[in-house]
Amino acid sequence: MMTGGLDVLDLHHRFGDVVALDGVAFGVGAGEIVGLVGRNGAGKTTTMRAVMGIVRPDRGGVMWSGHAIEQGDRLRFGYMPEERGLYPQMRLLEQVAYFARLHGFDQAAADDAARIWLDRLGLGERTGDKLVALSHGNQQRVQLAVALVHGPELLVLDEPFAGLDPEAVDSLSQVLFERAAAGTAVLFSSHQLELVERICRRVVIVEAGRVIADGTLAELRARLPAELRVKVDAAPDWARSLEGARIQSADDDGVLLVVDPGTDPQTILRAAQAAGPVEHFGFETAGLVDLYREMVSR
């Protein structure tokens, strides 16, 4: 359990006959960015709603800094829901300041904070525009400003990158890095696994309401067989009798071996050297997309 962050503890929840959460548990430490990934219906949004108190789980709980979350704690959280919750006819400055007021700011402080965040997110010249006049991507930026305006200790963002152009993605990514560096705990979900891999220190994979993996990319890779490419000036038969490794493919670039966890690569290297001159010997690093596919298919 985290002592300075978010703890999600054994969450169970049903919607009628549908099991949405089946023992979900993980933590997000202060200053940490954690990606919550999984297919549609895996339980990501329900988990986030439980953190924010929108869904009351049937069993389990959510804690912040070592204690059960209360309403006063949630005033220090920032939330960006998957279904955006802004007022189309409200002007940007008025809208963001309104949400700051809901978190306890007086009017002057709310206006100042709203201007700062709208400017930071590239909307400083549109503070008097109504939300409905903005593109989808810019409406996303306003929603993010609402989540950030009160300086939250925890950010919970449900699909924050959906529909954003590359420039907006880079801008939002930089904001998340800055908030984490300032000590904010960040939890966000996304189907864009390449972005999750680039941004997150740690990844939590959920499937059918359960956490099936939780760790850094290096830790997740260590749980699965690794791929090792070896090119030897010899026929690939040398690799057929290896213990703890098997040939996945063989071509002009050598043999691609699937290496079981715990197998010493030096043993493979010695076998390759005994077969002939070794021209290439290196592991091929699996990205999050490959790791995700492997884990959900097991």
Side-chain angles (χ1 to χ4, degrees):
M1 189 168 70
M2 302 283 180
T3 58
L6 174 71
D7 287 291
V8 175
L9 305 172
D10 193 31
L11 294 186
H12 293 256
H13 195 68
R14 285 177 174 266
F15 294 105
D17 294 332
V18 177
V19 177
L21 303 177
D22 188 17
V24 169
F26 61 89
V28 184
E32 186 177 35
I33 303 177
V34 173
L36 186 64
V37 302
R39 69 183 81 197
N40 289 335
K44 305 183 301 297
T45 294
T46 303
T47 298
M48 291 182 160
R49 288 175 176 172
V51 171
M52 296 306 300
I54 299 167
V55 168
R56 179 174 293 181
D58 300 329
R59 198 167 87 225
V62 185
M63 302 185 75
W64 176 251
S65 293
H67 64 268
I69 293 178
E70 300 175 350
Q71 184 58 32
D73 296 310
R74 290 197 174 94
L75 289 175
R76 300 194 300 275
F77 297 171
Y79 181 44
M80 188 172 179
E82 184 176 20
E83 300 85 7
R84 307 310 182 210
L86 301 177
Y87 300 101
Q89 297 300 325
M90 206 170 183
R91 301 186 188 281
L92 303 193
L93 180 63
E94 179 185 3
Q95 179 140 207
V96 178
Y98 168 74
F99 282 96
R101 292 293 307 274
L102 293 181
H103 288 274
F105 284 39
D106 63 34
Q107 190 63 60
D111 288 344
D112 287 345
R115 287 191 181 92
I116 288 170
W117 276 110
L118 288 170
D119 185 62
R120 173 66 179 81
L121 294 171
L123 296 171
E125 296 182 357
R126 305 199 64 177
T127 58
D129 291 356
K130 293 181 178 180
L131 183 78
V132 71
L134 271 59
S135 67
H136 172 77
N138 280 337
Q139 290 186 24
Q140 291 269 82
R141 295 179 192 227
V142 178
Q143 187 78 65
L144 182 61
V146 165
L148 289 163
V149 68
H150 57 291
E153 298 174 12
L154 169 69
L155 270 176
V156 178
L157 310 174
D158 197 351
E159 292 290 343
F161 296 101
L164 295 184
D165 59 48
E167 181 182 355
V169 167
D170 290 343
S171 177
L172 173 52
S173 300
Q174 188 58 40
V175 168
L176 297 187
F177 289 137
E178 291 172 2
R179 297 321 304 156
T184 301
V186 180
L187 173 67
F188 80 90
S189 71
S190 178
H191 287 103
Q192 296 162 271
L193 299 187
E194 296 87 352
L195 281 173
V196 175
E197 181 174 357
R198 189 178 83 192
I199 294 169
C200 294
R201 177 188 177 275
R202 191 158 54 82
V203 177
V204 176
I205 301 176
V206 291
E207 172 71 5
R210 295 178 293 108
V211 173
I212 61 172
D214 179 355
T216 64
L217 286 177
E219 290 168 342
L220 298 186
R221 289 187 186 107
R223 292 177 47 179
L224 299 174
E227 292 185 344
L228 175 65
R229 183 168 293 279
V230 186
K231 187 174 183 180
V232 181
D233 188 12
D237 293 344
W238 69 271
R240 299 194 186 282
S241 59
L242 291 170
E243 292 188 8
R246 61 190 181 279
I247 297 176
Q248 178 167 295
S249 63
D251 52 33
D252 292 341
D253 292 324
V255 294
L256 183 63
L257 302 174
V258 178
V259 182
D260 295 332
T263 300
D264 185 359
Q266 293 300 316
T267 301
I268 300 173
L269 178 59
R270 287 193 290 271
Q273 290 171 330
V278 177
E279 300 176 18
H280 178 82
F281 186 91
F283 283 96
E284 298 195 347
T285 303
L288 181 56
V289 172
D290 298 320
L291 292 171
Y292 172 80
R293 287 173 177 161
E294 178 69 22
M295 288 181 173
V296 299
S297 66
R298 297 176 77 186

